[in-house]
């Protein structure tokens, strides 16, 4: 008899396709309003990134973090693993994420296993939805102002998703050629 439940051993890789450019957030917010984009909220994110004891994430281009997100006075926490970049044209990478009930205990678990906190990135974010993409206006402490256009897809959808993100950037008056593939963590550490 065939089971109707999904096979728990199967894992469909999901890729975060993201294009990020430095920008004047006030001008981009004005353009988003003109385009009729839907503002979906503001949030403060505090991300603690970890170094692994068994490999150099800077060399492998991976990331492991605990994110604390405060929205409307309530704080939640998530653990995220980001795999290496999978293409040269955007910040596309496999991403695995899950919620946790206590960010401090997640930090303690990682530290007990030998993962050392590398840095903390703090950012104020404003989210919009437009043309099927999430557009994030980021004011990153110690780094600057950036716009991210992103979506999630499976492996076969990476190229069309990236091209769509470029079109959204152009609609915002931004040039995809100006993108940075360096993470906020990388930018923060460059400036340190």
């Amino acid at each position: 008899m065939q089971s109707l439940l999904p096979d728990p051993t199967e894992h469909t890789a999901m890729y975060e396709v993201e294009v990020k450019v430095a920008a004047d957030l006030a001008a981009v917010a004005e353009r988003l309003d003109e385009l009729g984009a839907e503002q979906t909220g503001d949030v403060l994110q505090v991300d603690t990134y970890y170094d692994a004891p068994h490999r150099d994430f800077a060399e492998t281009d991976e990331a492991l973090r605990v994110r604390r997100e405060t929205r409307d006075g309530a704080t939640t926490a998530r653990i995220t693993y980001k795999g290496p970049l999978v293409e040269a044209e955007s910040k596309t990478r496999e991403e695995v994420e899950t919620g946790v009930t206590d960010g401090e205990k997640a930090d303690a678990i990682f530290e007990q296993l030998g993962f050392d906190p590398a840095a903390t990135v703090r950012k104020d974010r404003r989210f919009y939805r437009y043309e099927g993409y999430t557009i994030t206006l980021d004011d990153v402490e110690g780094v600057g102002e950036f716009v991210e256009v992103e979506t999630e897809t499976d492996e076969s959808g990476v190229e069309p998703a990236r091209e769509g993100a470029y079109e959204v950037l152009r609609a915002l008056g931004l040039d995809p050629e100006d993108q940075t593939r360096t993470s906020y963590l990388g930018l923060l550490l460059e400036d340190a």
Side-chain angles (χ1 to χ4, degrees):
M1 179 174 175
Q2 184 178 7
S3 172
L4 299 177
L5 297 174
D7 182 349
T9 62
E10 288 184 20
H11 170 70
T12 301
M14 290 303 293
Y15 293 89
E16 176 188 63
V17 178
E18 173 186 301
V19 181
K20 174 173 60 187
V21 297
D24 176 341
L25 297 186
V28 174
E30 187 176 309
R31 181 67 181 141
L32 284 163
D33 289 342
E34 290 170 3
L35 292 170
E38 175 190 6
Q39 185 180 341
T40 58
D42 295 325
V43 68
L44 168 67
Q45 289 178 343
V46 179
D47 298 338
T48 303
Y49 286 87
Y50 286 89
D51 288 329
H54 59 294
R55 66 179 175 257
D56 184 348
F57 283 165
E59 275 186 25
T60 62
D61 198 25
E62 297 170 281
L64 178 67
R65 74 173 179 227
V66 175
R67 168 173 285 169
R68 288 164 189 79
E69 189 169 273
T70 304
R71 184 187 311 254
D72 300 326
T75 300
T76 58
R78 301 186 73 69
I79 297 172
T80 306
Y81 163 78
K82 292 187 176 216
L85 295 175
V86 297
E87 66 164 14
E89 292 82 16
S90 68
K91 281 191 67 207
T92 301
R93 58 178 72 224
E94 183 176 6
E95 182 174 300
V96 181
E97 185 171 64
T98 190
V100 293
T101 57
D102 189 325
E104 284 71 30
K105 287 185 180 172
D107 288 328
I109 289 169
F110 285 138
E111 289 177 27
Q112 289 295 318
L113 291 171
F115 289 79
D116 291 322
T120 300
V121 177
R122 290 175 176 79
K123 55 191 171 292
D124 287 303
R125 309 186 96 180
R126 174 163 286 165
F127 294 97
Y128 291 83
R129 290 291 297 164
Y130 178 72
E131 298 292 316
Y133 287 82
T134 298
I135 299 156
T136 311
L137 309 187
D138 289 337
D139 184 358
V140 185
E141 187 177 291
V143 177
E145 294 183 343
F146 294 85
V147 174
E148 291 184 356
V149 178
E150 67 181 66
T151 192
E152 285 189 357
T153 187
D154 62 15
E155 188 173 7
S156 67
V158 168
E159 186 175 335
R162 181 189 66 242
E163 293 304 317
Y166 288 172
E167 288 304 313
V168 170
L169 280 175
R170 289 183 191 101
L172 296 175
L174 301 170
D175 186 348
E177 295 295 318
D178 293 337
Q179 75 170 300
T180 178
R181 294 179 69 224
T182 304
S183 68
Y184 293 134
L185 173 62
L187 292 170
L188 183 68
L189 294 176
E190 283 176 6
D191 291 340

